[in-house]
Amino acid sequence: MAELIKIRGSIFIGGMLYLPPITDPNTGMTYEFQGDDREFTPHAANTGRCRVEQEATIDFVKQRVSAFADTGITVLRLTAPDGSVHYKEGKAATDGIVIEDEQWTEDAVTLTMRASAANPLTPDAAPVDYCLYVTAYRNGEVKVSGCHDGFPCFEFYKQIDFGEFQLLYTHDFRKTGDTPQAMAGDMEYRFDV
């Protein structure tokens, strides 16, 4: 029987240090947002290489759920027509990263993990979103279903009693061809594992 089950979710921009540049035709300024330049791993938490991090630690002994939420630092590289380079940084708020609807039974808990965070350097940016429905059982079994945007990368893992992390689900925008525009509108991807 499990005493603790941790569910870890991360959103990150994989495989690139900077997103493709965008040049403003009126000013000649080139804008490049920094990516996370990493691949899928449960060990990137607290490294600054995630756009969003969320954890739900389910304690079957104390019958409570502890929450953790964080966002990475967003970096924008601005290159002027004369070649000079300037940087801007910002950090998205974590108030849209929540755990809701916690319900306990004798041998399980159900809860909802939600994340919604927008680029802090772009006032009208669409937020990146996911919604994860979790059922965790005292025997260590975990069932998840949910939905998320098409961009960027999403990863979800479980850990039982401080053991190795086990993969639950991933989404890679590089394989699906999604772009940052996929953050606008409804969450288009659904999964059930």
Side-chain angles (χ1 to χ4, degrees):
M1 292 296 185
E3 290 186 9
L4 293 172
I5 296 178
K6 181 182 287 185
I7 307 298
R8 175 175 286 171
S10 298
I11 301 171
F12 66 100
I13 302 171
M16 57 184 70
L17 185 55
Y18 282 92
L19 290 171
I22 298 170
T23 302
D24 183 329
N26 297 324
T27 65
M29 291 290 290
T30 300
Y31 300 85
E32 296 171 278
F33 283 100
Q34 194 173 70
D36 297 303
D37 198 24
R38 74 170 178 91
E39 295 303 325
F40 292 92
T41 177
H43 305 294
N46 298 306
T47 64
R49 288 186 144 191
C50 299
R51 300 301 84 220
V52 173
E53 297 177 5
Q54 183 181 36
E55 290 181 347
T57 302
I58 301 161
D59 188 330
F60 282 100
V61 174
K62 296 182 178 181
Q63 281 208 331
R64 72 175 182 208
V65 175
S66 300
F68 170 80
D70 198 12
T71 57
I73 294 173
T74 299
V75 176
L76 173 61
R77 179 168 61 192
L78 300 144
T79 305
D82 65 4
S84 62
V85 177
H86 305 279
Y87 292 89
K88 287 186 178 181
E89 292 186 0
K91 190 168 171 70
T94 59
D95 57 349
I97 307 169
V98 297
I99 296 173
E100 303 172 318
D101 307 325
E102 178 183 334
Q103 294 184 9
W104 289 86
T105 64
E106 187 175 318
D107 67 340
V109 62
T110 60
L111 55 89
T112 303
M113 298 171 67
R114 292 184 192 278
S116 183
N119 183 331
L121 302 178
T122 307
D124 58 347
V128 61
D129 299 301
Y130 71 71
C131 182
L132 187 69
Y133 303 101
V134 178
T135 303
Y137 296 90
R138 191 178 293 273
N139 67 4
E141 182 183 355
V142 173
K143 293 182 180 177
V144 296
S145 63
C147 51
H148 59 81
D149 289 329
F151 183 90
C153 295
F154 296 78
E155 60 186 355
F156 300 101
Y157 301 91
K158 77 173 182 177
Q159 181 190 47
I160 301 171
D161 292 333
F162 305 105
E164 292 294 318
F165 280 94
Q166 300 169 39
L167 178 64
L168 293 171
Y169 174 82
T170 63
H171 168 83
D172 190 340
F173 74 92
R174 296 164 293 177
K175 292 182 178 176
T176 61
D178 288 295
T179 66
Q181 287 71 33
M183 293 185 290
D186 294 336
M187 294 179 271
E188 58 266 37
Y189 286 88
R190 306 222 177 301
F191 62 96
D192 191 352
V193 293

